[in-house]
Amino acid sequence: MLPLLLGLAAFALYFLYDINSISRQYRLLRSFFALGTLLLGAALVLDLAAAFTAGAISGAVDCVLLFCSALCFAALIYSLFFALPFDETYVAENSPRCVYSGGVYGLCRHPGILCFFGMELLLGLAALPTAMLLRGMIFSALNLLYAYFQDRISFPKTFCDYSDYQKNVPFLIPDGASLRRFWKTLPHAEKEEVEV
């Protein structure tokens, strides 16, 4: 029950963080994204500890699922903190702010959603028969709702060119055009253009 409550509190903090970023901008509420991430991480750690203690994660298949989940987690961390220019995204308060549409953000507008879902699904399958899978799907649904809120309400008010980004890049599922855009923004593509 505690992991569920921590996760629900985490998403409440995420929503409050975004609402604050487009309204009053209280200094105290600026820490809510980081605090929410800590709570969500704590929920995950508690769930994993309970699954290991109960012996739910034990066989070779579970180890493969954990490894694949770790890859999804790494992709999530990359897309949130390394695929974006860090200072411009998380530190600077420049105005007007422009969308970064390169790399994975050229594939879809919310690539972290797919990584988070994959991580939660694989962890939940590895931890069967515990309730971790159910909680992971609840958190994934909340994460999708949060991304939709950002996409429709907070990001259009935060980024001056977000409407153009919405027109050119899919919300969640990459398409042919976004795959080509992604390929062109990879570091190897820049080197090929220089060499030509």
Side-chain angles (χ1 to χ4, degrees):
M1 187 65 162
L2 181 58
L4 178 62
L5 294 175
L6 289 173
L8 294 176
F11 281 99
L13 291 174
Y14 289 155
F15 277 99
L16 288 172
Y17 169 83
D18 267 57
I19 291 166
N20 181 62
S21 71
I22 58 172
S23 60
R24 301 271 185 192
Q25 298 188 7
Y26 292 115
R27 185 173 297 278
L28 174 67
L29 299 186
R30 290 181 190 168
S31 63
F32 276 18
F33 186 84
L35 183 57
T37 302
L38 289 173
L39 290 179
L40 197 56
L44 181 65
V45 168
L46 288 173
D47 257 341
L48 277 173
F52 276 111
T53 302
I57 300 175
S58 58
V61 173
D62 292 341
C63 290
V64 170
L65 289 170
L66 285 178
F67 176 75
C68 292
S69 178
L71 292 177
C72 289
F73 177 72
L76 174 64
I77 295 302
Y78 172 78
S79 64
L80 290 178
F81 300 110
F82 297 100
L84 295 164
F86 189 85
D87 285 343
E88 293 172 31
T89 305
Y90 296 105
V91 178
E93 295 182 20
N94 54 338
S95 184
R97 293 176 68 186
C98 296
V99 171
Y100 177 75
S101 60
V104 294
Y105 288 90
L107 280 174
C108 66
R109 298 194 299 270
H110 300 276
I113 299 291
L114 300 173
C115 303
F116 185 84
F117 173 74
M119 178 190 75
E120 290 287 358
L121 175 66
L122 294 165
L123 279 176
L125 291 173
L128 285 174
T130 69
M132 191 171 183
L133 180 60
L134 177 61
R135 278 191 287 277
M137 294 305 97
I138 291 169
F139 296 159
S140 292
L142 289 171
N143 199 22
L144 182 60
L145 183 64
Y146 178 52
Y148 185 79
F149 172 81
Q150 289 178 318
D151 200 68
R152 296 296 168 203
I153 297 172
S154 63
F155 285 177
K157 294 178 181 178
T158 303
F159 300 102
C160 62
D161 55 349
Y162 200 76
S163 61
D164 290 335
Y165 185 56
Q166 287 174 310
K167 290 174 192 169
N168 295 313
V169 178
F171 174 70
L172 197 58
I173 307 299
D175 59 17
S178 68
L179 287 168
R180 287 188 293 279
R181 185 180 314 104
F182 168 72
W183 187 254
K184 287 180 183 177
T185 61
L186 291 176
H188 75 80
E190 293 172 7
K191 290 178 185 173
E192 289 173 6
E193 287 178 15
V194 172
E195 291 172 2
V196 173

